[in-house]
Amino acid sequence: MIPRCLMAMVCFLIWASPAVAQLNVVATLPWIGSLAGDIGKDKIKVTTLVKPSQDPHYVEAKPSMILEVRRADLLLFNGLELEIGYLPVLVESSRNPKIQPGTPGYFDCSQFVEVIEKPAAVDRSMGDVHPLGNPHYHHSPRNIYRVAGGITEMLATVDPANAGFYRTNLAGWQDKFKEREKKWGQTKLKGEKFIAYHKFFEYLAHDFGFEIIGYVEPKPGIPPSAGWVERIIELAKRTKPEAILTTSYYGTREVTFLSQKSGVRYIVVPHDVGATPACKDWFSLMDQVLAALK
Amino acid sequence: MGTFIIFLFLGLLLGTPSVWAETLEERIKKLEETIQKQQEVLKDQQKALEDLKDQSKQAKVAEPPSAEPPPPRDYRLDDRSRGIYVPSASPLTPYSLTKQVTTPGLMNPAISVILDTEYYHSTLSRQELESRSAPGYLDPQEAPFKEGFNLRAIELGFFAPVDPYFNLYATLPVTEDGIELEEAYFVTTSLPAGLQFKGGKFKSGFGRFNAFHPHAWDFVNAPLAYKLFFGGEGEGLTEKGAQLTYLPNLPIYTILGAEVLQGDNDTLFGPDGGPHAYTGFVKSSLDLGANHSILFGGSVVGGKTNTGSFAPDTELKGDSVLYGLEFTYKWKPSRWRSLILQSEYLYRHQKGDLTDTVALTRDSLKRNQDGLYVQALYQIDRWRIGARFDRMAIFKDEVLLAGEKQNYSGQPYRWTGALEFNPTEFSRIRLQYNYDKSDPNKVNQEIFLQFLIAVGAHGAHAY
């Protein structure tokens, strides 16, 4: 009885182990997974932990995620403490020596980013401020260009046999980038004013020269009170911004109300790859974001 | 001659200061003038500097989107990044760290401080509370809350990676009676094959509820079955010992674990020479679509018993085994909406000799008892409502003393309802009502207003 059980167990384990030696890459956010897929193509197997419908600030460490991280050869994450609520517990519980902090497999994409809004002093009375700076840099082409380079070099390090393949793919990606960049550069957003729900579009504003004059959240992570909404309506009426920017996971209840009261339209900006069907990869995400802002 | 000298002296005495004063005044005026001039110069320079800054700012902001004349500036490669970025044919070094992104600080552990304070009201008097028991399960225990203001603890938590092989954790609740050592353990990070080793004093992997610290409980107090089988407030099994867990690479999450424990829990085990409690557990989890997940499993803990908790003036020596089954379901479609259903079933089998320490008689004692709790938590925005039902003697309530069945006429049960407001993830206000009939003689109706306030390092939350 017991030997038969063991046999079945062993057979099961053999069946469960992957047949082709693809590099297992686990990414926290959809855009990171998509970027890695563009570089690694069929040489890597990408698993993304966070769904495009989820608020990246509030993700729960599910056991299924622990299992994904356990299998990872490389763990790619956003960094700047965006994943602080779930990633440390996933990494420890994964029991995976390849992706522990301090190893090359523990890959913080923000190391290539010129971080903005790094607070000089911070405490939580300011709301859920990210003490290492604004973590939502994925809408910034200049930063993602470098992140793509960094991911390529890391893939080449972890999987040296395919280093040439990854670097060739990066070159192709960079060509595409230069082509798109010309198009994006023609987006006329310079000097325009917007109101945003959360401090989510600062890198976009920084790169494309527009201004965010107010936030629907009174403080990061704190939902607006009735009094605050009144102040935002007053601000919107007085300054007449182009639009109120939000993302799908904040819902449209508050922005619809704001929009009706102030006469300023709202735009649901795709926040990540997969947020809308058209956002297939990082390039089309940027296309969609800039098209939405026009 | 004398008068001359006197005049000279007077002249000197009176005249010189005035002369000095004039020159000083002049000097000061001159100085003031020069300072003013310098200030003007400085102002001009500052203005020029600010203008320059503004220009450069405008230039920075303006350049990326300016399309006329095309082609636009290659904005991703500004001077700084040009220094960092080198074409990808060269090795890894070009992508050096632009900054250190490690938190906590290199030499300091992450520290969290959590305040757990409550206002308590009971329909029973202090004396009645102190004399409550659950006959057949547990003798009277110290009432954890007093009428009025209570401060359960301020819990200090420390965490840091030790080196590439270990992480260290310590949890020290400070109460008015002093500092306690709730947990202090290391855990390995780099064992191969999905293995992990834990050592020190830690919360056992037995069951579901057992793993949580009081501040993370879903209600102010622990499930009844935990209170009656583990004693105390129902914190469960926190022991010195060693744990080995294994996470096999299977298509579904399954974790297997075993522990050797000192067995200090004085309700279930009690003091004895050397480690004398052992646990084993298996848990599995599945995602059912994007928003639903379940966790289920079974646990067992067994060991040598030497306890006085059966009844006053008694001593029980023998063996105990406690079995646990757990089930958790979570529906979490967004940050603002969730439903959690959770249930655990515990079954205790105990056999031994009961000594009456006054009459000095000894009889055999056999207990087969069980208990269950079912709870639901529903969250809307920053509010959460919860309900829990606890009941003992579900399938089995057998106490045999000297072979004779004892009848304690008790099916202890308790109803709990709670309403929470969570201003942020660092603060929680909870209003809770208990209808507690764990002692069949007296119903205890309780109301709690609890404040849980956390500062310090942001701990990651377990499932």
Side-chain angles (χ1 to χ4, degrees):
Chain A
M1 176 64 200
I2 288 166
R4 205 176 288 174
C5 263
L6 268 175
M7 280 288 285
M9 197 66 177
V10 168
C11 287
F12 187 55
L13 282 171
I14 290 166
W15 171 78
S17 58
V20 190
Q22 273 179 320
L23 200 66
N24 264 321
V25 176
V26 172
T28 54
L29 302 180
W31 70 264
I32 302 173
S34 169
L35 204 57
D38 288 349
I39 307 297
K41 299 203 170 139
D42 61 336
K43 295 277 188 278
I44 66 171
K45 181 178 168 283
V46 179
T47 310
T48 301
L49 299 178
V50 180
K51 303 272 178 311
S53 60
Q54 275 180 294
D55 181 342
H57 298 86
Y58 299 91
V59 176
E60 195 182 36
K62 288 198 282 188
S64 58
M65 295 177 180
I66 296 173
L67 192 60
E68 297 296 354
V69 178
R70 187 231 186 273
R71 297 184 185 128
D73 295 309
L74 187 58
L75 174 67
L76 309 176
F77 60 98
N78 184 92
L80 302 175
E81 297 199 341
L82 183 61
E83 293 103 336
I84 194 165
Y86 62 99
L87 199 61
V89 81
L90 291 183
V91 168
E92 189 186 280
S93 307
S94 75
R95 296 152 171 84
N96 182 350
K98 287 183 199 163
I99 50 84
Q100 295 298 321
T103 60
Y106 182 81
F107 190 83
D108 181 344
C109 295
S110 75
Q111 61 189 298
F112 308 104
V113 172
E114 285 180 75
V115 181
I116 61 170
E117 297 189 321
K118 192 171 176 174
V122 62
D123 70 61
R124 289 195 185 123
S125 65
M126 302 164 189
D128 202 1
V129 174
H130 298 283
L132 299 177
N134 192 317
H136 308 295
Y137 55 80
H138 64 297
H139 283 154
S140 164
R142 55 192 282 170
N143 282 307
I144 294 305
Y145 185 85
R146 292 207 301 274
V147 171
I151 290 176
T152 307
E153 288 309 313
M154 188 44 69
L155 285 172
T157 308
V158 175
D159 182 17
N162 291 312
F165 176 77
Y166 299 134
R167 290 193 179 119
T168 311
N169 291 344
L170 176 69
W173 188 91
Q174 285 172 334
D175 290 345
K176 198 171 172 185
F177 183 97
K178 278 170 193 145
E179 192 189 298
R180 294 295 176 103
E181 186 188 33
K182 280 178 201 150
K183 199 179 104 193
W184 296 336
Q186 283 157 13
T187 316
K188 293 214 170 30
L189 290 166
K190 186 188 155 192
E192 286 188 355
K193 289 184 171 66
F194 291 92
I195 287 175
Y197 195 101
H198 178 70
K199 277 180 163 286
F200 197 79
F201 308 103
E202 319 323 293
Y203 286 89
L204 198 62
H206 194 256
D207 274 20
F208 290 89
F210 63 85
E211 201 184 337
I212 293 166
I213 54 166
Y215 299 93
V216 179
E217 286 181 334
K219 284 169 182 177
I222 308 287
S225 64
W228 183 259
V229 168
E230 285 305 315
R231 284 169 68 177
I232 292 295
I233 292 169
E234 197 265 329
L235 176 77
K237 279 182 178 167
R238 186 158 43 82
T239 55
K240 305 228 177 311
E242 282 298 309
I244 300 162
L245 306 180
T246 188
T247 56
S248 57
Y249 55 79
Y250 286 115
T252 52
R253 196 178 58 191
E254 279 121 349
V255 285
T256 308
F257 180 76
L258 276 172
S259 187
Q260 281 166 355
K261 291 284 172 184
S262 65
V264 177
R265 71 190 169 125
Y266 73 82
I267 301 171
V268 180
V269 182
H271 64 278
D272 206 331
V273 172
T276 65
C279 302
K280 288 188 184 70
D281 57 9
W282 180 77
F283 288 113
S284 50
L285 170 70
M286 285 308 295
D287 285 346
Q288 295 295 315
V289 166
L290 292 172
L293 290 188
K294 265 183 202 164
Chain B
M1 186 63 197
T3 43
F4 177 68
I5 291 169
I6 290 169
F7 271 120
L8 193 72
F9 184 71
L10 276 175
L12 275 170
L13 204 74
L14 297 170
T16 15
S18 63
V19 173
W20 279 1
E22 274 171 39
T23 47
L24 263 178
E25 265 178 17
E26 275 173 17
R27 273 184 176 181
I28 288 170
K29 262 189 191 173
K30 273 182 190 168
L31 263 171
E32 275 178 349
E33 275 169 18
T34 45
I35 285 171
Q36 256 183 351
K37 273 180 195 166
Q38 278 180 346
Q39 272 180 341
E40 274 166 19
V41 170
L42 264 173
K43 265 186 192 170
D44 285 350
Q45 282 179 342
Q46 247 175 0
K47 217 185 162 188
L49 259 172
E50 268 166 14
D51 284 355
L52 266 169
K53 261 190 194 170
D54 280 359
Q55 277 175 10
S56 65
K57 253 189 200 170
Q58 278 172 358
K60 253 190 191 171
V61 172
E63 269 167 42
S66 73
E68 57 301 303
R73 191 189 149 230
D74 196 9
Y75 54 74
R76 72 213 132 71
L77 294 176
D78 59 1
D79 294 338
R80 210 179 124 211
S81 59
R82 209 189 292 277
I84 296 164
Y85 178 77
V86 175
S88 55
S90 51
L92 190 68
T93 38
Y95 301 98
S96 63
L97 283 173
T98 53
K99 63 182 173 44
Q100 204 65 36
V101 276
T102 49
T103 40
L106 200 59
M107 292 303 155
N108 300 319
I111 300 171
S112 68
V113 180
I114 302 167
L115 176 70
D116 181 351
T117 184
E118 42 278 292
Y119 188 87
Y120 175 72
H121 171 69
S122 163
T123 51
L124 298 183
S125 72
R126 176 103 200 116
Q127 271 186 331
E128 286 173 311
L129 283 176
E130 293 291 354
S131 63
R132 277 172 73 74
S133 68
Y137 294 92
L138 203 59
D139 68 330
Q141 302 264 307
E142 198 190 334
F145 294 101
K146 295 185 171 74
E147 182 80 24
F149 296 102
N150 288 265
L151 197 149
R152 186 146 69 177
I154 186 147
E155 190 188 286
L156 309 179
F158 301 87
F159 156 74
V162 177
D163 53 29
Y165 313 107
F166 299 104
N167 287 343
L168 181 76
Y169 291 85
T171 309
L172 308 168
V174 182
T175 69
E176 284 171 304
D177 300 327
I179 194 159
E180 286 169 39
L181 183 60
E182 193 179 347
E183 280 193 292
Y185 63 88
F186 66 87
V187 59
T188 63
T189 56
S190 303
L191 288 186
L195 293 167
Q196 191 165 58
F197 184 80
K198 194 188 261 192
K201 186 182 180 188
F202 53 88
K203 290 189 155 290
S204 164
F206 176 93
R208 166 80 181 147
F209 175 82
N210 198 78
F212 294 93
H213 290 165
H215 72 84
W217 290 354
D218 295 322
F219 300 93
V220 179
N221 32 30
L224 205 52
Y226 270 80
K227 188 177 160 69
L228 298 188
F229 289 147
F230 291 111
E233 262 199 78
E235 297 93 337
L237 203 56
T238 307
E239 292 272 346
K240 293 185 287 289
Q243 180 195 67
L244 186 69
T245 49
Y246 172 47
L247 179 67
N249 187 6
L250 295 177
I252 61 165
Y253 173 91
T254 304
I255 189 154
L256 301 109
E259 294 162 350
V260 179
L261 305 173
Q262 193 67 18
D264 288 332
N265 183 296
D266 55 12
T267 301
L268 197 60
F269 303 115
D272 197 70
H276 57 281
Y278 307 89
T279 73
F281 49 88
V282 184
K283 291 166 200 199
S284 280
S285 176
L286 277 175
D287 284 358
L288 309 167
N291 302 328
H292 307 261
S293 56
I294 54 168
L295 173 75
F296 53 94
S299 313
V300 60
V301 54
K304 289 247 171 294
T305 298
N306 181 5
T307 176
S309 66
F310 175 72
D313 302 321
T314 63
E315 206 178 78
L316 173 68
K317 277 192 173 172
D319 300 293
S320 301
V321 186
L322 187 69
Y323 302 92
L325 289 173
E326 58 176 278
F327 178 81
T328 305
Y329 161 80
K330 285 195 188 188
W331 171 69
K332 212 167 179 187
S334 77
R335 178 194 164 189
W336 302 114
R337 198 61 54 96
S338 68
L339 173 70
I340 305 170
L341 303 176
Q342 186 178 317
S343 180
E344 266 185 89
Y345 172 78
L346 301 185
Y347 181 98
R348 178 176 66 181
H349 172 73
Q350 198 168 50
K351 225 165 60 177
D353 292 327
L354 188 72
T355 309
D356 189 320
T357 51
V358 180
L360 295 171
T361 54
R362 184 184 285 181
D363 287 308
S364 74
L365 178 77
K366 194 176 157 189
R367 290 199 284 185
N368 288 309
Q369 295 164 303
D370 63 359
L372 175 89
Y373 74 87
V374 183
Q375 68 178 50
L377 297 153
Y378 184 64
Q379 177 223 344
I380 310 168
D381 296 342
R382 294 199 274 180
W383 295 87
R384 192 163 82 155
I385 50 169
R388 180 173 67 190
F389 178 61
D390 284 285
R391 169 145 226 166
M392 305 304 290
I394 300 280
F395 304 113
K396 201 86 172 175
D397 182 17
E398 188 183 66
V399 182
L400 295 171
L401 189 58
E404 262 179 67
K405 191 166 166 32
Q406 306 292 301
N407 193 358
Y408 291 103
S409 73
Q411 265 201 335
Y413 72 91
R414 182 175 65 190
W415 278 103
T416 300
L419 175 68
E420 277 173 20
F421 179 63
N422 299 299
T424 64
E425 55 179 320
F426 304 105
S427 54
R428 167 170 290 168
I429 304 163
R430 178 187 283 141
L431 183 66
Q432 183 179 320
Y433 167 77
N434 284 354
Y435 182 90
D436 178 2
K437 214 179 167 204
S438 55
D439 184 337
N441 303 316
K442 281 168 263 166
V443 171
N444 183 15
Q445 296 190 68
E446 302 171 296
I447 288 176
F448 301 86
L449 180 63
Q450 183 185 32
F451 291 84
L452 288 160
I453 312 288
V455 296
H458 189 309
H461 317 289
Y463 178 78

